[in-house]
Amino acid sequence: MAEAKKREKSSAKDGAKSAAKGSAESGTGDAPNAKGKTTAAESVEGEEHVFQADMQQLLHIIVHSLYSEREIFIRELISNAADALNRVRFLMLTDSNVRDAKQELEITLDIDTDNKAITIHDTGIGMTRDELVSSLGTIARSGTLDFVKRLSATEPGQRMEMIGQFGVGFYSVFMVSARVVVDTCPADPDQAPTRWVSDGGGSYSLLSSDKKQRGTSVRIELRDDSEEFAKGFRIEEVVKRYSSFIPHPIRMDGRQLNTLDAIWSLPKDQVTSERYAEFYKFIAHQMEDPLHTIHLTIDAPVQYSALLFIPKHLTNEMLYSRTGFGLKLYANKVFIQDDCQELLPIHMRFLRGVVDSEDLPLNVSREMVQQNQLLTRIRKSLTGRVLRELKSLSEDNPEKYTTFWAEYGKVLKEGITSDEANKQRLLELARYNSSIGENAEDMTTLNDYVSRMREGQKEILYYSGPSREAIERNPNLEYFRRQGLEVLYFYDQVDDFVMAQLREFDGKPFARIDQADLDALKEGDAIESEHEALEDDAMAKLMEYVKERLGERITAVVPSKRLVDSPAVLVSPDGDSVNLEKMMRLLNEKFSPSAKILEINPNHPLVSNLSRMLQSGGDDPLLGEITEQLFENCLLVEGMLEKPEKMVARIQTLMERAAALQVQTLPSSS
Ligand code: ADP
Ligand code: MG
């Protein structure tokens, strides 16, 4: 109640987000000087700001539903402190005018057992008053709001994993605190220190601060239910769990809690798999072990060491996001940059890890990183090494490789068309399902397919669809199944693009089995059928009728060699993929797929019956209706039927006719 009142009061005074932000410049009585800089003397005591609405929502969730994961607030605050230390170290490389330039870069934890409070100090970059408002007063990170929405929709038991992946950030502190006081003194000697105070309700206050030393101190006044964190051993336990690899000393009571080991620079045999996993969890914010670890120490043609991890699962972020990926870059153990995208091609964006090079100049700026020749050379070497590692994995541990490919195959395949230099190696890593497999998980390589090709078989046959079931339902497959010709099954949308560009592998052209002019059909024997084939003459008349009836919707009607159990199928005159066209339609509503060739099975009873109907005058409207239905069935199988409503009405008519015929044969009811 009291809180709601306070919020109302401050809303009236301050307005929402924009006002809170605006007050940093124009102020509510806190006039900045001409340069837009505020000094301590000008600050007004207890100036209150409301949190923006999104953030109130976030705070609510944090305080009320993340109870069991409370300890991660320590990880979040330490990671912020470490970021601030990295940033000031970076600043000092290029700017000589930094406050307390001689100060050691460190994190210190103070426990005030009597008052049940903890303080986390850092000697990092600090925040100006404006930065404080924008960093701790708004959801600065664009992903956060998205995170909030997803978190509220997640089962409590699975939340920990989500938090692990995203990090809740600074606000996690309100899981444990009654009140938080942030004192911060910016690296810029012209900027004054500021104090930020909040109880995690609807608002925060800005005050002047007497902090003299560069950096930030976050004082957490614990709630009664979180007293456990006012004990040294508990804090130490949490720091060890999450923050062992923070590259700055973390001290408590004069003791250093973390080890600072740059494990990527150690020889492989000195690092246990537990330590690799621990490091991975720390840098990738993951709860589970990695799927695979790659540790490299390379001396030529460039010197670098790399410690890379393949996570267990491909997330949507990895699949769709073309930003926010990349490795951590170090120059001789000094941190340079997060998410360095210059180190790997985009189709390896699922890798997490660290690259460290002694050859990289320390004072390299972020802009220079982008143009650095050395990085281009590291990238080339590293890409090759990763491919080599994947190849060995596929040979030494095929089972694990299959798991890997199932998760990341669709990302790696992007490289087949975009990374000309490594095309061949990527193709050799590719695995596909095929008609000889037992199920959708049974994979083969292109090389193995080629080695199984029949005597005289010229084409690598493939077909694509959303699933094995969908592909195997397609009448196009009947002939190849009967003849025992192997067909590769493609399920990823990217496959059709890749094949269209590749055209061939090992000198053998790729051919979609719904292509009209398949070599395999020309060469292959005709299939024996239980039904007698329609006479050529009658067949010609029927095809003429069907073409006239369907008009422009098809380019031609031809007798089929590939059908066994189905009466008709659509094939592409030029081998253009149906999937490709479906995708074009998704991208462009006006895109109309090119007309197809209709193949008719002369051995099918329906076809011979239609021919008889035609011969006996052809004036029964049923003949036309069945022809339409035959065509639309083909469209439906291909997923190309646009107006299913019309089809329902037609089926209704056909059902009425069938039922009426059936009734005629029944004994009359008495
Ligand atoms: P993130 O760390 O992902 O950016 P946080 O919620 O943890 O998100 O922190 C928000 C921002 O607040 C940081 O990006 C940083 O600008 C600022 N910040 C937080 N803690 C500190 C600190 N100890 N020193 C300097 N700036 C900090
Ligand atoms: Mg953070």
Side-chain angles (χ1 to χ4, degrees):
M1 266 304 172
E3 199 173 281
K5 254 204 177 133
K6 193 171 86 192
R7 201 170 301 164
E8 222 175 85
K9 201 180 96 204
S10 45
S11 303
K13 187 177 89 186
D14 230 344
K17 170 194 162 191
S18 57
K21 264 200 148 159
S23 66
E25 291 117 35
S26 57
T28 41
D30 180 5
N33 66 19
K35 281 190 193 134
K37 289 176 179 170
T38 311
T39 64
E42 287 167 328
S43 280
V44 169
E45 287 292 300
E47 180 193 315
E48 196 166 321
H49 297 249
V50 233
F51 287 119
Q52 69 183 96
D54 300 344
M55 206 159 83
Q56 291 190 15
Q57 195 189 349
L58 175 65
L59 283 167
H60 186 87
I61 291 176
I62 288 170
V63 175
H64 295 280
S65 51
L66 299 179
Y67 186 82
S68 60
E69 293 94 22
R70 292 175 308 170
E71 66 185 29
I72 60 141
F73 79 93
I74 297 173
R75 177 191 75 187
E76 295 296 333
L77 295 186
I78 288 182
S79 113
N80 284 350
D83 288 347
L85 291 165
N86 287 338
R87 287 170 61 199
V88 79
R89 182 174 53 195
F90 203 88
L91 183 69
M92 286 191 291
L93 294 173
T94 51
D95 188 345
S96 54
N97 190 22
V98 169
R99 193 195 301 263
D100 302 334
K102 297 262 171 317
Q103 179 70 45
E104 191 192 354
L105 300 179
E106 61 176 349
I107 298 167
T108 322
L109 307 175
D110 271 338
I111 300 184
D112 175 354
T113 314
D114 295 344
N115 296 306
K116 297 190 198 87
I118 330 165
T119 310
I120 298 178
H121 305 276
D122 68 64
T123 52
I125 198 164
M127 284 174 273
T128 65
R129 193 176 185 285
D130 289 5
E131 283 164 357
L132 199 50
V133 169
S134 64
S135 301
L136 303 189
T138 59
I139 296 186
R141 298 178 304 165
S142 59
T144 308
L145 189 62
D146 192 41
F147 169 76
V148 172
K149 291 196 189 117
R150 286 209 242 170
L151 193 67
S152 6
T154 307
E155 293 286 312
Q158 272 131 44
R159 282 186 176 145
M160 191 60 196
E161 204 147 304
M162 280 210 69
I163 294 167
Q165 273 178 26
F166 283 78
V168 196
F170 176 79
Y171 305 107
S172 56
V173 73
F174 289 109
M175 292 191 283
V176 296
S177 37
R179 199 171 84 112
V180 177
V181 181
V182 178
D183 280 295
T184 183
C185 179
D188 180 347
D190 299 334
Q191 297 272 351
T194 317
R195 169 172 284 196
W196 180 101
V197 185
S198 178
D199 60 5
S203 66
Y204 62 92
S205 303
L206 288 180
L207 299 89
S208 64
S209 167
D210 55 9
K211 185 169 173 56
K212 299 271 174 349
Q213 210 181 40
R214 184 194 72 222
T216 302
S217 302
V218 180
R219 180 179 163 87
I220 300 148
E221 295 169 11
L222 295 163
R223 284 202 308 259
D224 291 346
D225 64 2
S226 305
E227 273 177 38
E228 62 182 289
F229 295 107
K231 298 195 173 67
F233 75 88
R234 181 76 172 98
I235 297 286
E236 182 166 350
E237 172 192 70
V238 181
V239 170
K240 289 226 159 98
R241 178 166 325 149
Y242 298 107
S243 310
S244 293
F245 298 101
I246 291 283
H248 306 280
I250 303 173
R251 298 203 170 95
M252 190 167 71
D253 299 328
R255 241 170 6 103
Q256 186 168 318
L257 303 182
N258 56 335
T259 55
L260 305 185
D261 263 358
I263 65 166
W264 60 86
S265 64
L266 300 174
K268 262 187 187 185
D269 56 9
Q270 282 182 29
V271 190
T272 61
S273 56
E274 286 75 25
R275 285 197 75 197
Y276 280 134
E278 192 188 0
F279 181 71
Y280 163 73
K281 289 175 189 170
F282 166 69
I283 59 155
H285 295 288
Q286 291 288 327
M287 299 291 146
E288 12 171 55
D289 288 354
L291 178 69
H292 191 62
T293 303
I294 301 174
H295 190 175
L296 304 165
T297 310
I298 308 295
D299 291 314
V302 260
Q303 191 287 328
Y304 66 90
S305 48
L307 181 51
L308 308 182
F309 301 94
I310 302 172
K312 278 224 167 87
H313 301 290
L314 172 73
T315 61
N316 280 341
E317 278 75 18
M318 291 181 209
L319 182 57
Y320 298 116
S321 159
R322 305 204 146 235
T323 58
F325 68 95
L327 305 173
K328 287 182 194 298
L329 178 64
Y330 284 76
N332 205 6
K333 296 182 201 166
V334 176
F335 175 83
I336 301 288
Q337 194 193 327
D338 262 322
D339 302 336
C340 182
Q341 301 183 1
E342 285 72 26
L343 293 166
L344 282 173
I346 188 142
H347 51 277
M348 292 185 178
R349 61 185 176 276
F350 52 85
L351 287 163
R352 298 288 175 265
V354 171
V355 169
D356 190 340
S357 175
E358 288 167 13
D359 297 343
L360 208 60
L362 240 195
N363 62 350
V364 63
S365 73
R366 275 158 215 247
E367 293 68 39
M368 276 164 60
V369 163
Q370 281 166 14
Q371 302 151 9
N372 197 286
Q373 288 291 315
L374 189 75
L375 286 196
T376 315
R377 282 159 60 207
I378 293 179
R379 171 192 168 119
K380 188 160 174 258
S381 159
L382 189 59
T383 308
R385 291 290 171 154
V386 170
L387 290 171
R388 192 191 290 185
E389 285 281 333
L390 290 174
K391 183 147 194 276
S392 328
L393 181 67
S394 74
E395 290 159 0
D396 305 343
N397 192 344
E399 211 169 304
K400 190 169 170 189
Y401 185 78
T402 306
T403 312
F404 162 78
W405 184 259
E407 285 291 323
Y408 300 104
K410 54 167 134 346
V411 185
L412 263 193
K413 279 180 208 161
E414 292 173 13
I416 297 175
T417 52
S418 63
D419 187 358
E420 189 58 36
N422 292 308
K423 179 168 113 178
Q424 195 55 32
R425 301 171 77 182
L426 285 163
L427 275 170
E428 280 164 22
L429 288 172
R431 297 287 182 276
Y432 298 99
N433 191 212
S434 96
S435 55
I436 65 154
E438 302 255 307
N439 53 43
E441 280 73 49
D442 231 346
M443 296 298 198
T444 180
T445 63
L446 290 174
N447 280 323
D448 286 347
Y449 179 97
V450 169
S451 71
R452 282 189 297 263
M453 277 169 77
R454 288 279 190 74
E455 178 87 31
Q457 182 184 345
K458 300 202 179 79
E459 299 148 321
I460 299 178
L461 301 165
Y462 73 93
Y463 201 49
S464 62
S467 67
R468 188 172 172 98
E469 291 71 41
I471 290 180
E472 296 202 323
R473 258 201 311 271
N474 198 299
N476 265 309
L477 218 68
E478 291 171 2
Y479 173 84
F480 304 93
R481 191 182 289 136
R482 276 294 166 100
Q483 299 289 36
L485 281 166
E486 183 176 357
V487 177
L488 295 173
Y489 295 167
F490 294 160
Y491 309 123
D492 287 335
Q493 291 194 323
V494 63
D495 289 326
D496 274 292
F497 280 121
V498 170
M499 295 312 152
Q501 286 217 18
L502 267 185
R503 303 200 171 270
E504 55 148 61
F505 175 79
D506 198 19
K508 321 262 182 315
F510 285 103
R512 252 184 85 102
I513 59 163
D514 62 350
Q515 225 166 287
D517 58 343
L518 270 189
D519 189 77
L521 284 174
K522 277 182 227 136
E523 302 289 313
D525 315 314
I527 292 174
E528 291 286 311
S529 171
E530 316 151 25
H531 299 280
E532 210 172 313
L534 201 57
E535 298 281 320
D536 285 355
D537 224 26
M539 187 67 185
K541 289 210 178 76
L542 180 64
M543 293 192 301
E544 195 184 321
Y545 167 81
V546 172
K547 173 70 183 107
E548 202 176 284
R549 172 82 203 193
L550 298 176
E552 297 298 296
R553 289 177 283 173
I554 50 174
T555 52
V557 183
V558 298
S560 183
K561 251 184 113 177
R562 69 184 91 206
L563 291 174
V564 181
D565 305 313
S566 304
V569 73
L570 286 169
V571 301
S572 302
D574 49 5
D576 244 356
S577 151
V578 177
N579 277 4
L580 212 60
E581 294 196 334
K582 264 191 284 188
M583 205 135 91
M584 293 298 286
R585 216 165 57 196
L586 280 181
L587 298 173
N588 174 10
E589 271 179 34
K590 292 204 190 82
F591 177 85
S592 56
S594 55
K596 301 259 179 302
I597 296 170
L598 185 69
E599 284 193 5
I600 294 186
N601 181 359
N603 292 305
H604 200 276
L606 180 63
V607 173
S608 39
N609 285 336
L610 284 178
S611 168
R612 281 181 56 195
M613 286 170 82
L614 183 66
Q615 276 162 21
S616 68
D619 38 18
D620 187 341
L622 198 59
L623 179 60
E625 294 291 294
I626 295 176
T627 306
E628 291 284 340
Q629 187 62 37
L630 197 63
F631 173 63
E632 290 201 355
N633 282 355
C634 295
L635 288 178
L636 189 67
V637 172
E638 301 290 347
M640 303 290 279
L641 183 63
E642 275 176 359
K643 293 196 181 90
E645 320 78 66
K646 271 168 88 180
M647 182 160 171
V648 171
R650 185 177 325 106
I651 291 177
Q652 182 87 13
T653 314
L654 295 175
M655 279 162 35
E656 281 167 17
R657 283 287 294 261
L661 277 174
Q662 189 62 23
V663 166
Q664 280 174 20
T665 68
L666 298 176
S668 55
S669 58
S670 48

